[in-house]
């Protein structure tokens, strides 16, 4: 599965995993040494994340139910906590620095199989 920008088709992530169980959502990427370029993890539901126990920075995208971007955190360092994003439904986590530079709040994403 891929995540792309709906309006331009720009690929945000080409290898996407879903944290579907409670255990996967709790563990997330904690203890992982690194994730590859183009790889991402989606958390649903989600309004906030932390990077305690992380070994590398993350790019984080918060989206509503329609995959509209509500908030972006670029290169979030380990041992940090994001603000609470009230209307967020999906959280996309990628390796720090891997988000397209022109990605911004208000754009819509979509998943492609």
């Amino acid at each position: 599965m891929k995540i792309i920008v709906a309006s331009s088709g720009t690929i945000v992530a080409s290898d996407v995993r879903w944290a579907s169980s409670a255990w996967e959502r709790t563990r997330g990427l904690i203890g992982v040494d690194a994730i590859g370029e183009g790889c991402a993890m989606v958390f649903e539901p989600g309004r906030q994340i932390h990077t305690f126990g992380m070994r590398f920075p993350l790019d984080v995208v918060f989206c509503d139910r329609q995959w509209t971007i509500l908030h972006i955190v670029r290169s979030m360092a380990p041992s940090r906590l994001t603000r609470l994003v009230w209307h967020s439904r999906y959280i996309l986590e990628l390796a720090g620095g891997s988000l397209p530079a022109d990605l911004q709040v208000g754009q819509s994403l979509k998943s492609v199989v």
Side-chain angles (χ1 to χ4, degrees), residues 22-78:
W23 170 248
E24 289 173 326
R25 285 191 305 275
T26 300
R27 185 165 189 271
L29 296 171
I30 294 172
V32 175
D33 289 327
I35 56 175
E37 187 173 327
C39 295
M41 182 171 268
V42 176
F43 295 84
E44 178 196 11
R47 293 190 177 116
Q48 185 176 40
I49 63 139
H50 67 83
T51 56
F52 299 107
M54 296 293 300
R55 298 179 181 159
F56 55 93
L58 293 177
D59 283 348
V60 185
V61 181
F62 294 83
C63 297
D64 66 11
R65 290 182 188 275
Q66 290 77 37
W67 285 93
T68 301
I69 299 173
L70 302 173
H71 183 62
I72 298 172
V73 180
R74 295 181 186 270
S75 295
M76 183 175 171

Side-chain angles (χ1 to χ4, degrees), residues 1-3 10-17 29 32-41 56-59 92-101:
M1 171 205 242
K2 295 179 189 175
I3 302 283
T10 301
I11 296 173
V12 175
S14 56
D15 181 13
V16 179
R17 294 184 309 161
L29 296 171
V32 175
D33 289 327
I35 56 175
E37 187 173 327
C39 295
M41 182 171 268
F56 55 93
L58 293 177
D59 283 348
L92 184 63
E93 292 183 353
L94 305 95
S98 64
L99 280 178

